């Protein structure tokens, strides 16, 4: 006999930051969401039409994740995806509000940016949305691929099946191919 599942509703995704209020202010400007709760070390934003929101909590020991990460780096635990209708305009808006575009961009219809404290987030164009995807040259894609290959990157195969001949080797985290 199984235990009945209780009612669970996702209220918000919470991001740590050196200063919750400052990071919340960035996302408030970026998204146009409203603050619904604010107290020392904690802020919660909700979208105007309802749904789950974003929470921010102060964590003095916060360390920004590295992306893309290499072995030994602080790994990101999650990232946020925001669908946009115009990628170029959305990137310009995010940049004006304080985001920084990542040096490596893995896909032609996605832009990876970092918020002011280093959390990666993605802006993406839904391929089913009207309009042409942004033009990305095959040369640019090849250059990005070469740069990743030159780095000491952990493969999914290494993460799933570490070298069995090295019993002391710890299991390693897999690098995502992309953020989304």
């Amino acid at each position: 006999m199984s235990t009945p599942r209780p009612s669970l509703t996702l209220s918000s995704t919470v991001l740590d930051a050196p200063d919750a209020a400052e990071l919340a202010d960035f996302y408030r400007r970026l998204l146009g969401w409203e603050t619904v709760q604010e107290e020392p070390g904690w802020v919660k934003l909700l979208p105007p039409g309802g749904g789950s929101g974003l929470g921010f909590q102060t964590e003095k020991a916060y360390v920004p994740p590295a992306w893309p990460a290499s072995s030994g780096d602080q790994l990101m635990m999650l990232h946020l995806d925001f669908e946009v209708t115009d990628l170029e305009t959305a990137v310009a808006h995010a940049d004006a509000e304080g985001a920084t575009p990542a040096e490596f961009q893995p896909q032609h219809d996605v832009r990876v940016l970092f918020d002011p404290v280093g959390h990666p987030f993605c802006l993406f164009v839904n391929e089913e949305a009207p309009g042409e995807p942004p033009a990305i040259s095959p040369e640019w894609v090849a250059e990005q691929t070469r740069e990743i290959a030159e780095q000491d990157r952990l493969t999914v195969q290494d993460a799933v099946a570490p070298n069995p001949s090295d019993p002391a080797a710890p299991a390693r985290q897999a690098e995502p191919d992309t953020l989304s």
Side-chain angles (χ1 to χ4, degrees):
M1 187 160 125
S2 65
T3 306
R5 183 173 45 93
S7 173
L8 301 170
T9 302
L10 179 63
S11 170
S12 62
T13 298
V14 180
L15 299 175
D16 289 347
D19 185 310
E22 286 180 14
L23 188 57
D25 187 53
F26 164 77
Y27 281 98
R28 182 180 18 254
R29 294 187 322 269
L30 179 72
L31 302 171
W33 291 9
E34 294 185 29
T35 301
V36 295
Q37 184 181 9
E38 188 165 8
E39 54 193 64
W42 173 259
V43 179
K44 183 175 180 181
L45 306 178
L46 285 179
S52 66
L54 288 174
F56 305 89
Q57 69 182 13
T58 297
E59 174 54 64
K60 295 300 181 191
Y62 171 76
V63 175
W67 187 88
S70 295
S71 181
D73 288 342
Q74 172 67 40
L75 300 176
M76 70 174 172
M77 299 301 290
L78 62 87
H79 71 277
L80 303 173
D81 283 345
F82 299 104
E83 183 176 340
V84 300
T85 56
D86 182 328
L87 195 55
E88 185 177 322
T89 300
V91 169
H93 169 68
D95 185 57
E97 295 301 340
T100 304
E103 193 172 304
F104 171 68
Q105 296 294 329
Q107 296 165 275
H108 79 281
D109 57 349
V110 176
R111 289 297 172 270
V112 180
L113 296 101
F114 301 107
D115 69 23
V117 300
H119 294 287
F121 67 94
C122 294
L123 303 177
F124 72 96
V125 175
N126 183 340
E127 292 185 10
E128 296 176 8
E132 294 295 316
I136 300 295
S137 73
E139 294 81 16
W140 180 86
V141 172
E143 178 184 338
Q144 294 291 312
T145 303
R146 275 191 304 277
E147 286 179 14
I148 289 176
E150 290 170 2
Q151 297 175 7
D152 179 25
R153 310 301 287 179
L154 174 63
T155 66
V156 171
Q157 291 79 13
D158 289 340
V160 173
N163 183 350
S165 64
D166 184 5
R172 300 188 318 178
Q173 290 284 334
E175 249 328 282
D177 290 334
T178 64
L179 278 179
S180 42

